[in-house]
CSV table of all heavy atoms in Angstrom, one decimal:
chain,number,residue,atom,x,y,z
Z,1,ARG,N,98.4,94.8,85.7
Z,1,ARG,CA,99.1,96.1,85.9
Z,1,ARG,C,98.2,97.3,86.0
Z,1,ARG,O,98.5,98.4,86.3
Z,1,ARG,CB,100.0,96.3,84.7
Z,1,ARG,CG,101.2,95.2,84.6
Z,1,ARG,CD,102.2,95.8,83.7
Z,1,ARG,NE,103.2,94.7,83.5
Z,1,ARG,CZ,104.3,94.6,84.3
Z,1,ARG,NH1,104.5,95.4,85.3
Z,1,ARG,NH2,105.2,93.7,84.1
Z,2,ASP,N,96.9,97.1,85.7
Z,2,ASP,CA,95.9,98.2,85.8
Z,2,ASP,C,95.2,98.2,87.1
Z,2,ASP,O,94.2,98.8,87.3
Z,2,ASP,CB,94.8,98.0,84.7
Z,2,ASP,CG,95.5,98.3,83.3
Z,2,ASP,OD1,96.5,99.0,83.2
Z,2,ASP,OD2,95.0,97.7,82.3
Z,3,LEU,N,95.8,97.5,88.1
Z,3,LEU,CA,95.2,97.5,89.4
Z,3,LEU,C,95.6,98.7,90.2
Z,3,LEU,O,96.7,99.2,90.0
Z,3,LEU,CB,95.7,96.2,90.2
Z,3,LEU,CG,95.2,94.8,89.5
Z,3,LEU,CD1,95.9,93.7,90.3
Z,3,LEU,CD2,93.8,94.7,89.6
Z,4,PRO,N,94.8,99.1,91.1
Z,4,PRO,CA,95.2,100.3,92.0
Z,4,PRO,C,96.3,99.9,93.0
Z,4,PRO,O,96.5,98.7,93.2
Z,4,PRO,CB,93.9,100.6,92.8
Z,4,PRO,CG,93.1,99.3,92.8
Z,4,PRO,CD,93.4,98.6,91.5
Z,5,GLU,N,97.0,100.9,93.3
Z,5,GLU,CA,98.1,100.7,94.3
Z,5,GLU,C,97.5,100.2,95.7
Z,5,GLU,O,96.5,100.8,96.1
Z,5,GLU,CB,98.9,102.0,94.6
Z,5,GLU,CG,100.0,101.8,95.6
Z,5,GLU,CD,100.7,103.1,96.0
Z,5,GLU,OE1,100.2,104.2,95.6
Z,5,GLU,OE2,101.8,103.0,96.6
Z,6,VAL,N,98.1,99.1,96.2
Z,6,VAL,CA,97.6,98.7,97.5
Z,6,VAL,C,98.3,99.5,98.6
Z,6,VAL,O,99.6,99.5,98.6
Z,6,VAL,CB,97.9,97.2,97.7
Z,6,VAL,CG1,97.5,96.7,99.1
Z,6,VAL,CG2,97.1,96.4,96.6
Z,7,THR,N,97.5,100.1,99.4
Z,7,THR,CA,98.0,101.0,100.5
Z,7,THR,C,97.4,100.4,101.7
Z,7,THR,O,96.4,99.7,101.7
Z,7,THR,CB,97.7,102.4,100.3
Z,7,THR,OG1,96.2,102.5,100.4
Z,7,THR,CG2,98.3,103.0,99.1
Z,8,PRO,N,97.9,100.7,102.9
Z,8,PRO,CA,97.2,100.3,104.1
Z,8,PRO,C,95.7,100.8,104.1
Z,8,PRO,O,94.8,100.0,104.5
Z,8,PRO,CB,98.0,101.0,105.3
Z,8,PRO,CG,99.4,101.1,104.7
Z,8,PRO,CD,99.1,101.4,103.2
Z,9,ASP,N,95.4,102.0,103.7
Z,9,ASP,CA,94.0,102.5,103.6
Z,9,ASP,C,93.2,101.6,102.7
Z,9,ASP,O,92.0,101.3,103.0
Z,9,ASP,CB,94.0,103.9,103.2
Z,9,ASP,CG,92.6,104.5,103.3
Z,9,ASP,OD1,91.9,104.4,104.3
Z,9,ASP,OD2,92.1,105.1,102.2
Z,10,TYR,N,93.7,101.3,101.5
Z,10,TYR,CA,93.0,100.5,100.5
Z,10,TYR,C,92.7,99.1,101.2
Z,10,TYR,O,91.6,98.6,100.9
Z,10,TYR,CB,93.9,100.3,99.3
Z,10,TYR,CG,93.3,99.5,98.2
Z,10,TYR,CD1,92.4,100.1,97.3
Z,10,TYR,CD2,93.6,98.2,98.1
Z,10,TYR,CE1,91.9,99.4,96.3
Z,10,TYR,CE2,93.1,97.5,97.1
Z,10,TYR,CZ,92.2,98.0,96.1
Z,10,TYR,OH,91.6,97.3,95.1
Z,11,ALA,N,93.7,98.6,101.8
Z,11,ALA,CA,93.4,97.2,102.5
Z,11,ALA,C,92.3,97.3,103.5
Z,11,ALA,O,91.4,96.5,103.5
Z,11,ALA,CB,94.7,96.8,103.2
Z,12,MET,N,92.3,98.4,104.3
Z,12,MET,CA,91.2,98.5,105.3
Z,12,MET,C,89.8,98.9,104.9
Z,12,MET,O,88.9,98.4,105.5
Z,12,MET,CB,91.7,99.5,106.4
Z,12,MET,CG,93.0,99.2,107.2
Z,12,MET,SD,92.9,97.7,108.2
Z,12,MET,CE,91.8,98.2,109.4
Z,13,THR,N,89.8,99.5,103.7
Z,13,THR,CA,88.5,99.9,103.2
Z,13,THR,C,88.0,99.0,102.1
Z,13,THR,O,86.9,98.4,102.1
Z,13,THR,CB,88.5,101.3,102.7
Z,13,THR,OG1,89.5,101.5,101.7
Z,13,THR,CG2,88.7,102.3,103.9
Z,14,THR,N,88.9,98.8,101.0
Z,14,THR,CA,88.5,98.1,99.8
Z,14,THR,C,88.6,96.6,100.0
Z,14,THR,O,87.7,95.9,99.4
Z,14,THR,CB,89.2,98.6,98.6
Z,14,THR,OG1,89.0,100.0,98.5
Z,14,THR,CG2,88.8,98.0,97.3
Z,15,LEU,N,89.7,96.2,100.5
Z,15,LEU,CA,89.9,94.7,100.7
Z,15,LEU,C,89.2,94.0,101.8
Z,15,LEU,O,88.9,92.8,101.7
Z,15,LEU,CB,91.4,94.4,100.8
Z,15,LEU,CG,92.3,94.8,99.5
Z,15,LEU,CD1,93.7,94.4,99.9
Z,15,LEU,CD2,91.8,94.1,98.3
Z,16,ALA,N,88.8,94.8,102.8
Z,16,ALA,CA,88.2,94.3,103.9
Z,16,ALA,C,86.9,93.5,103.6
Z,16,ALA,O,86.7,92.4,104.2
Z,16,ALA,CB,87.9,95.3,105.0
Z,17,PRO,N,86.0,93.9,102.8
Z,17,PRO,CA,84.9,93.1,102.4
Z,17,PRO,C,85.2,91.8,101.9
Z,17,PRO,O,84.5,90.8,102.2
Z,17,PRO,CB,84.1,93.9,101.5
Z,17,PRO,CG,84.5,95.4,101.8
Z,17,PRO,CD,85.9,95.2,102.2
Z,18,ALA,N,86.2,91.7,101.0
Z,18,ALA,CA,86.5,90.4,100.5
Z,18,ALA,C,87.1,89.4,101.5
Z,18,ALA,O,86.8,88.3,101.6
Z,18,ALA,CB,87.5,90.6,99.4
Z,19,PHE,N,87.9,90.0,102.4
Z,19,PHE,CA,88.4,89.2,103.6
Z,19,PHE,C,87.3,88.8,104.4
Z,19,PHE,O,87.3,87.5,104.8
Z,19,PHE,CB,89.4,90.1,104.4
Z,19,PHE,CG,90.8,90.0,103.9
Z,19,PHE,CD1,91.2,90.6,102.7
Z,19,PHE,CD2,91.8,89.4,104.7
Z,19,PHE,CE1,92.5,90.5,102.4
Z,19,PHE,CE2,93.1,89.4,104.3
Z,19,PHE,CZ,93.5,90.0,103.1
Z,20,GLU,N,86.3,89.6,104.7
Z,20,GLU,CA,85.2,89.3,105.5
Z,20,GLU,C,84.4,88.1,104.8
Z,20,GLU,O,84.0,87.2,105.5
Z,20,GLU,CB,84.3,90.4,105.9
Z,20,GLU,CG,85.1,91.4,106.7
Z,20,GLU,CD,84.3,92.0,107.9
Z,20,GLU,OE1,83.1,91.6,108.1
Z,20,GLU,OE2,84.8,92.8,108.5
Z,21,HIS,N,84.2,88.2,103.6
Z,21,HIS,CA,83.5,87.1,102.8
Z,21,HIS,C,84.2,85.8,103.0
Z,21,HIS,O,83.6,84.8,102.9
Z,21,HIS,CB,83.3,87.6,101.4
Z,21,HIS,CG,82.6,86.6,100.5
Z,21,HIS,ND1,81.2,86.5,100.6
Z,21,HIS,CD2,83.0,85.8,99.6
Z,21,HIS,CE1,80.9,85.5,99.8
Z,21,HIS,NE2,81.9,85.1,99.2
Z,22,ALA,N,85.5,85.9,103.0
Z,22,ALA,CA,86.4,84.7,103.2
Z,22,ALA,C,86.5,84.2,104.7
Z,22,ALA,O,87.2,83.2,104.9
Z,22,ALA,CB,87.7,84.9,102.6
Z,23,GLY,N,85.7,84.9,105.6
Z,23,GLY,CA,85.8,84.6,107.0
Z,23,GLY,C,86.9,85.1,107.8
Z,23,GLY,O,87.2,84.6,108.8
Z,24,MET,N,87.4,86.3,107.3
Z,24,MET,CA,88.6,86.9,108.1
Z,24,MET,C,88.3,88.3,108.3
Z,24,MET,O,87.7,88.9,107.4
Z,24,MET,CB,89.9,86.7,107.3
Z,24,MET,CG,90.4,85.2,107.2
Z,24,MET,SD,91.9,85.1,106.2
Z,24,MET,CE,91.1,85.3,104.6
Z,25,ARG,N,88.7,88.9,109.3
Z,25,ARG,CA,88.6,90.3,109.6
Z,25,ARG,C,90.0,91.0,109.7
Z,25,ARG,O,90.8,90.5,110.4
Z,25,ARG,CB,87.8,90.5,110.9
Z,25,ARG,CG,87.6,92.1,111.2
Z,25,ARG,CD,86.8,92.3,112.4
Z,25,ARG,NE,87.4,91.6,113.7
Z,25,ARG,CZ,88.2,92.2,114.5
Z,25,ARG,NH1,88.7,93.4,114.2
Z,25,ARG,NH2,88.7,91.6,115.6
Z,26,ILE,N,90.2,91.9,108.8
Z,26,ILE,CA,91.5,92.6,108.8
Z,26,ILE,C,91.6,93.5,110.2
Z,26,ILE,O,90.7,94.2,110.5
Z,26,ILE,CB,91.7,93.6,107.7
Z,26,ILE,CG1,91.7,92.8,106.3
Z,26,ILE,CG2,92.9,94.5,107.8
Z,26,ILE,CD1,91.8,93.6,105.1
Z,27,THR,N,92.6,93.3,110.9
Z,27,THR,CA,92.8,93.9,112.2
Z,27,THR,C,93.8,95.1,112.1
Z,27,THR,O,93.7,96.0,112.8
Z,27,THR,CB,93.3,93.0,113.3
Z,27,THR,OG1,94.5,92.4,112.9
Z,27,THR,CG2,92.2,91.9,113.6
Z,28,SER,N,94.7,95.0,111.0
Z,28,SER,CA,95.6,96.1,110.8
Z,28,SER,C,96.3,96.0,109.4
Z,28,SER,O,96.3,94.9,108.9
Z,28,SER,CB,96.7,96.2,111.9
Z,28,SER,OG,97.5,95.1,111.8
Z,29,ALA,N,96.7,97.1,108.9
Z,29,ALA,CA,97.5,97.1,107.7
Z,29,ALA,C,98.4,98.3,107.8
Z,29,ALA,O,98.1,99.3,108.2
Z,29,ALA,CB,96.5,97.4,106.5
Z,30,ASP,N,99.7,98.0,107.3
Z,30,ASP,CA,100.7,99.0,107.5
Z,30,ASP,C,101.8,98.7,106.5
Z,30,ASP,O,102.0,97.6,105.9
Z,30,ASP,CB,101.4,99.0,108.9
Z,30,ASP,CG,101.9,100.3,109.3
Z,30,ASP,OD1,102.0,101.2,108.5
Z,30,ASP,OD2,102.3,100.4,110.5
Z,31,TRP,N,102.6,99.7,106.2
Z,31,TRP,CA,103.7,99.6,105.3
Z,31,TRP,C,104.8,98.8,105.9
Z,31,TRP,O,105.1,98.9,107.1
Z,31,TRP,CB,104.3,101.1,104.9
Z,31,TRP,CG,103.4,101.8,104.1
Z,31,TRP,CD1,102.8,103.0,104.5
Z,31,TRP,CD2,103.0,101.7,102.8
Z,31,TRP,NE1,102.0,103.5,103.5
Z,31,TRP,CE2,102.2,102.7,102.4
Z,31,TRP,CE3,103.3,100.7,101.8
Z,31,TRP,CZ2,101.6,102.8,101.1
Z,31,TRP,CZ3,102.8,100.9,100.5
Z,31,TRP,CH2,102.0,101.9,100.2
Z,32,LEU,N,105.5,98.1,105.1
Z,32,LEU,CA,106.8,97.4,105.4
Z,32,LEU,C,107.9,98.1,104.7
Z,32,LEU,O,107.9,98.3,103.5
Z,32,LEU,CB,106.8,95.9,105.0
Z,32,LEU,CG,105.9,94.9,105.8
Z,32,LEU,CD1,106.0,93.6,105.2
Z,32,LEU,CD2,106.3,94.9,107.3
Z,33,ASP,N,109.0,98.3,105.5
Z,33,ASP,CA,110.2,98.8,104.7
Z,33,ASP,C,111.0,97.7,104.3
Z,33,ASP,O,110.8,96.5,104.6
Z,33,ASP,CB,111.0,99.8,105.6
Z,33,ASP,CG,111.5,99.2,106.9
Z,33,ASP,OD1,111.9,98.1,106.9
Z,33,ASP,OD2,111.6,100.0,107.9
Z,34,ALA,N,112.1,98.0,103.5
Z,34,ALA,CA,112.9,96.9,103.0
Z,34,ALA,C,113.6,96.0,104.0
Z,34,ALA,O,113.6,94.8,103.8
Z,34,ALA,CB,114.0,97.5,102.1
Z,35,ASP,N,114.0,96.6,105.1
Z,35,ASP,CA,114.5,95.8,106.2
Z,35,ASP,C,113.5,94.8,106.8
Z,35,ASP,O,113.8,93.6,107.2
Z,35,ASP,CB,115.1,96.5,107.3
Z,35,ASP,CG,116.3,97.4,106.8
Z,35,ASP,OD1,117.0,96.9,105.9
Z,35,ASP,OD2,116.6,98.5,107.4
Z,36,GLN,N,112.3,95.3,106.9
Z,36,GLN,CA,111.3,94.4,107.5
Z,36,GLN,C,110.8,93.3,106.5
Z,36,GLN,O,110.7,92.2,106.9
Z,36,GLN,CB,110.0,95.2,107.8
Z,36,GLN,CG,110.2,96.1,108.9
Z,36,GLN,CD,109.0,97.1,109.1
Z,36,GLN,OE1,108.6,97.8,108.1
Z,36,GLN,NE2,108.4,97.2,110.2
Z,37,VAL,N,110.9,93.6,105.2
Z,37,VAL,CA,110.6,92.6,104.2
Z,37,VAL,C,111.7,91.4,104.3
Z,37,VAL,O,111.4,90.3,104.2
Z,37,VAL,CB,110.5,93.1,102.8
Z,37,VAL,CG1,110.5,92.0,101.7
Z,37,VAL,CG2,109.3,94.0,102.6
Z,38,ALA,N,112.9,91.9,104.4
Z,38,ALA,CA,114.0,90.9,104.5
Z,38,ALA,C,114.0,90.0,105.7
Z,38,ALA,O,114.5,88.8,105.7
Z,38,ALA,CB,115.4,91.7,104.5
Z,39,THR,N,113.4,90.4,106.8
Z,39,THR,CA,113.3,89.6,108.0
Z,39,THR,C,112.2,88.6,108.0
Z,39,THR,O,112.0,87.8,108.9
Z,39,THR,CB,113.2,90.5,109.3
Z,39,THR,OG1,111.9,91.2,109.2
Z,39,THR,CG2,114.3,91.4,109.4
Z,40,LEU,N,111.3,88.6,106.9
Z,40,LEU,CA,110.2,87.7,106.9
Z,40,LEU,C,110.5,86.2,106.8
Z,40,LEU,O,109.8,85.4,107.3
Z,40,LEU,CB,109.2,88.1,105.7
Z,40,LEU,CG,108.5,89.5,105.9
Z,40,LEU,CD1,107.7,89.8,104.6
Z,40,LEU,CD2,107.6,89.5,107.1
Z,41,GLY,N,111.6,86.0,106.1
Z,41,GLY,CA,112.1,84.6,106.1
Z,41,GLY,C,111.3,83.7,105.1
Z,41,GLY,O,111.3,82.4,105.2
Z,42,THR,N,110.5,84.3,104.2
Z,42,THR,CA,109.8,83.5,103.2
Z,42,THR,C,110.5,83.5,101.9
Z,42,THR,O,111.4,84.3,101.7
Z,42,THR,CB,108.4,84.1,102.9
Z,42,THR,OG1,108.5,85.4,102.3
Z,42,THR,CG2,107.6,84.3,104.2
Z,43,THR,N,110.2,82.5,101.1
Z,43,THR,CA,110.8,82.4,99.7
Z,43,THR,C,110.5,83.6,98.9
Z,43,THR,O,111.3,84.2,98.2
Z,43,THR,CB,110.4,81.1,99.0
Z,43,THR,OG1,109.0,81.1,98.8
Z,43,THR,CG2,111.0,79.9,99.7
Z,44,TRP,N,109.3,84.2,99.1
Z,44,TRP,CA,108.9,85.4,98.3
Z,44,TRP,C,109.8,86.6,98.8
Z,44,TRP,O,110.3,87.4,98.0
Z,44,TRP,CB,107.4,85.7,98.5
Z,44,TRP,CG,107.0,86.8,97.7
Z,44,TRP,CD1,106.5,88.0,98.2
Z,44,TRP,CD2,106.9,86.9,96.3
Z,44,TRP,NE1,106.2,88.9,97.1
Z,44,TRP,CE2,106.4,88.3,95.9
Z,44,TRP,CE3,107.3,86.1,95.3
Z,44,TRP,CZ2,106.3,88.6,94.7
Z,44,TRP,CZ3,107.1,86.5,93.9
Z,44,TRP,CH2,106.7,87.8,93.6
Z,45,ALA,N,110.0,86.8,100.1
Z,45,ALA,CA,110.8,87.8,100.6
Z,45,ALA,C,112.2,87.7,100.2
Z,45,ALA,O,112.9,88.8,99.9
Z,45,ALA,CB,110.7,87.9,102.2
Z,46,LYS,N,112.7,86.5,100.1
Z,46,LYS,CA,114.1,86.2,99.6
Z,46,LYS,C,114.3,86.7,98.2
Z,46,LYS,O,115.2,87.3,97.8
Z,46,LYS,CB,114.4,84.8,99.7
Z,46,LYS,CG,115.8,84.4,99.4
Z,46,LYS,CD,116.2,83.0,99.6
Z,46,LYS,CE,116.4,82.6,101.0
Z,46,LYS,NZ,116.9,81.3,101.2
Z,47,ARG,N,113.2,86.4,97.3
Z,47,ARG,CA,113.2,86.8,96.0
Z,47,ARG,C,113.3,88.3,95.9
Z,47,ARG,O,114.0,89.0,95.0
Z,47,ARG,CB,112.0,86.3,95.1
Z,47,ARG,CG,112.1,84.8,94.9
Z,47,ARG,CD,111.0,84.4,94.1
Z,47,ARG,NE,110.8,82.9,94.2
Z,47,ARG,CZ,109.7,82.3,94.4
Z,47,ARG,NH1,108.5,82.9,94.3
Z,47,ARG,NH2,109.7,80.9,94.5
Z,48,LEU,N,112.5,89.0,96.7
Z,48,LEU,CA,112.4,90.5,96.6
Z,48,LEU,C,113.7,91.2,97.2
Z,48,LEU,O,114.0,92.2,96.7
Z,48,LEU,CB,111.2,91.0,97.5
Z,48,LEU,CG,109.8,90.8,97.1
Z,48,LEU,CD1,108.8,91.2,98.1
Z,48,LEU,CD2,109.7,91.4,95.7
Z,49,SER,N,114.4,90.4,98.0
Z,49,SER,CA,115.6,91.0,98.6
Z,49,SER,C,116.8,91.1,97.7
Z,49,SER,O,117.8,91.8,98.0
Z,49,SER,CB,116.0,90.3,99.9
Z,49,SER,OG,116.4,89.0,99.6
Z,50,HIS,N,116.7,90.4,96.5
Z,50,HIS,CA,117.8,90.5,95.6
Z,50,HIS,C,117.9,91.7,94.7
Z,50,HIS,O,118.8,92.0,94.1
Z,50,HIS,CB,117.7,89.3,94.5
Z,50,HIS,CG,118.0,87.9,95.3
Z,50,HIS,ND1,119.2,87.6,95.8
Z,50,HIS,CD2,117.2,86.8,95.5
Z,50,HIS,CE1,119.2,86.4,96.4
Z,50,HIS,NE2,118.0,86.0,96.2
Z,51,ARG,N,116.9,92.5,94.9
Z,51,ARG,CA,116.9,93.8,94.3
Z,51,ARG,C,116.1,94.8,95.2
Z,51,ARG,O,115.7,94.4,96.3
Z,51,ARG,CB,116.2,93.8,92.8
Z,51,ARG,CG,114.8,93.1,92.9
Z,51,ARG,CD,114.4,93.0,91.4
Z,51,ARG,NE,113.1,92.4,91.3
Z,51,ARG,CZ,112.7,91.2,91.4
Z,51,ARG,NH1,113.7,90.3,91.6
Z,51,ARG,NH2,111.5,90.8,91.3
Z,52,SER,N,115.8,96.0,94.8
Z,52,SER,CA,115.1,96.9,95.6
Z,52,SER,C,113.7,96.4,95.7
Z,52,SER,O,113.0,96.4,94.7
Z,52,SER,CB,115.1,98.3,95.1
Z,52,SER,OG,116.4,98.8,95.0
Z,53,PRO,N,113.2,96.0,96.9
Z,53,PRO,CA,111.8,95.6,97.1
Z,53,PRO,C,110.8,96.6,96.9
Z,53,PRO,O,111.0,97.7,97.1
Z,53,PRO,CB,111.8,95.1,98.6
Z,53,PRO,CG,112.9,95.7,99.2
Z,53,PRO,CD,113.9,96.0,98.2
Z,54,PRO,N,109.8,96.3,96.2
Z,54,PRO,CA,108.7,97.3,96.0
Z,54,PRO,C,108.1,97.6,97.4
Z,54,PRO,O,108.3,96.8,98.4
Z,54,PRO,CB,107.7,96.6,95.1
Z,54,PRO,CG,107.9,95.1,95.4
Z,54,PRO,CD,109.4,95.0,95.7
Z,55,ARG,N,107.3,98.7,97.5
Z,55,ARG,CA,106.6,99.1,98.6
Z,55,ARG,C,105.7,97.9,98.9
Z,55,ARG,O,105.0,97.4,98.1
Z,55,ARG,CB,105.9,100.4,98.5
Z,55,ARG,CG,106.8,101.6,98.4
Z,55,ARG,CD,106.1,102.8,98.3
Z,55,ARG,NE,105.3,103.0,99.6
Z,55,ARG,CZ,104.8,104.2,99.9
Z,55,ARG,NH1,104.7,105.2,99.2
Z,55,ARG,NH2,104.1,104.3,101.1
Z,56,SER,N,105.7,97.5,100.2
Z,56,SER,CA,104.9,96.3,100.6
Z,56,SER,C,103.9,96.7,101.7
Z,56,SER,O,104.3,97.5,102.5
Z,56,SER,CB,105.8,95.2,101.0
Z,56,SER,OG,106.6,94.8,99.9
Z,57,VAL,N,102.8,96.1,101.7
Z,57,VAL,CA,101.9,96.3,102.8
Z,57,VAL,C,101.7,94.9,103.6
Z,57,VAL,O,101.5,93.9,102.9
Z,57,VAL,CB,100.5,96.8,102.2
Z,57,VAL,CG1,99.4,96.9,103.4
Z,57,VAL,CG2,100.6,98.2,101.6
Z,58,VAL,N,101.8,95.0,104.8
Z,58,VAL,CA,101.5,93.8,105.6
Z,58,VAL,C,100.0,94.0,106.1
Z,58,VAL,O,99.6,95.0,106.7
Z,58,VAL,CB,102.5,93.6,106.8
Z,58,VAL,CG1,102.5,94.7,107.8
Z,58,VAL,CG2,102.3,92.2,107.4
Z,59,ILE,N,99.3,92.9,106.1
Z,59,ILE,CA,97.9,92.9,106.5
Z,59,ILE,C,97.8,91.7,107.6
Z,59,ILE,O,98.2,90.7,107.3
Z,59,ILE,CB,96.9,92.6,105.3
Z,59,ILE,CG1,97.0,93.6,104.2
Z,59,ILE,CG2,95.5,92.3,105.9
Z,59,ILE,CD1,96.3,93.3,103.0
Z,60,ALA,N,97.3,92.2,108.8
Z,60,ALA,CA,97.0,91.2,109.8
Z,60,ALA,C,95.5,91.0,109.8
Z,60,ALA,O,94.8,92.0,109.8
Z,60,ALA,CB,97.5,91.8,111.1
Z,61,ALA,N,95.2,89.7,109.9
Z,61,ALA,CA,93.7,89.4,109.9
Z,61,ALA,C,93.5,88.2,110.8
Z,61,ALA,O,94.4,87.4,111.2
Z,61,ALA,CB,93.2,89.1,108.5
Z,62,MET,N,92.3,88.2,111.3
Z,62,MET,CA,92.0,87.0,112.2
Z,62,MET,C,90.7,86.3,111.6
Z,62,MET,O,89.9,87.0,111.0
Z,62,MET,CB,91.8,87.4,113.6
Z,62,MET,CG,90.7,88.5,113.9
Z,62,MET,SD,90.7,89.2,115.6
Z,62,MET,CE,90.4,87.8,116.5
Z,63,VAL,N,90.6,85.0,111.9
Z,63,VAL,CA,89.5,84.3,111.4
Z,63,VAL,C,88.3,84.6,112.3
Z,63,VAL,O,88.4,84.7,113.5
Z,63,VAL,CB,89.8,82.8,111.5
Z,63,VAL,CG1,88.5,82.0,111.1
Z,63,VAL,CG2,90.9,82.4,110.6
Z,64,THR,N,87.2,84.9,111.6
Z,64,THR,CA,85.9,85.2,112.4
Z,64,THR,C,85.0,84.0,112.5
Z,64,THR,O,85.1,83.0,112.0
Z,64,THR,CB,85.2,86.4,111.6
Z,64,THR,OG1,84.9,85.9,110.3
Z,64,THR,CG2,86.0,87.6,111.7
């Protein structure tokens, strides 16, 4: 709970080195609204859709 809020900017600046260390390059990061979360079709998205989903960030990355 003492973690910083993940924002698109945080993903592009702070998380990018960890992704690169794992062999991936973040190509974009953006906010997802509740409707976008609901269309993901994952079990996690389904769990979130039963109540107000928290602000979510989608990160696109490619293997380097």
Side-chain angles (χ1 to χ4, degrees):
R1 297 196 186 268
D2 294 332
L3 297 173
E5 179 185 12
V6 176
T7 64
D9 183 58
Y10 181 85
M12 296 300 291
T13 58
T14 305
L15 296 180
F19 272 68
E20 295 224 4
H21 183 72
M24 296 176 282
R25 182 173 57 87
I26 295 177
T27 57
S28 66
D30 206 352
W31 291 111
L32 285 180
D33 63 31
D35 292 335
Q36 291 170 308
V37 170
T39 65
L40 292 175
T42 65
T43 56
W44 185 246
K46 186 181 279 189
R47 286 183 201 141
L48 290 174
S49 68
H50 290 297
R51 55 187 182 277
S52 296
R55 289 184 68 170
S56 300
V57 174
V58 62
I59 298 171
M62 55 189 302
V63 176
T64 55

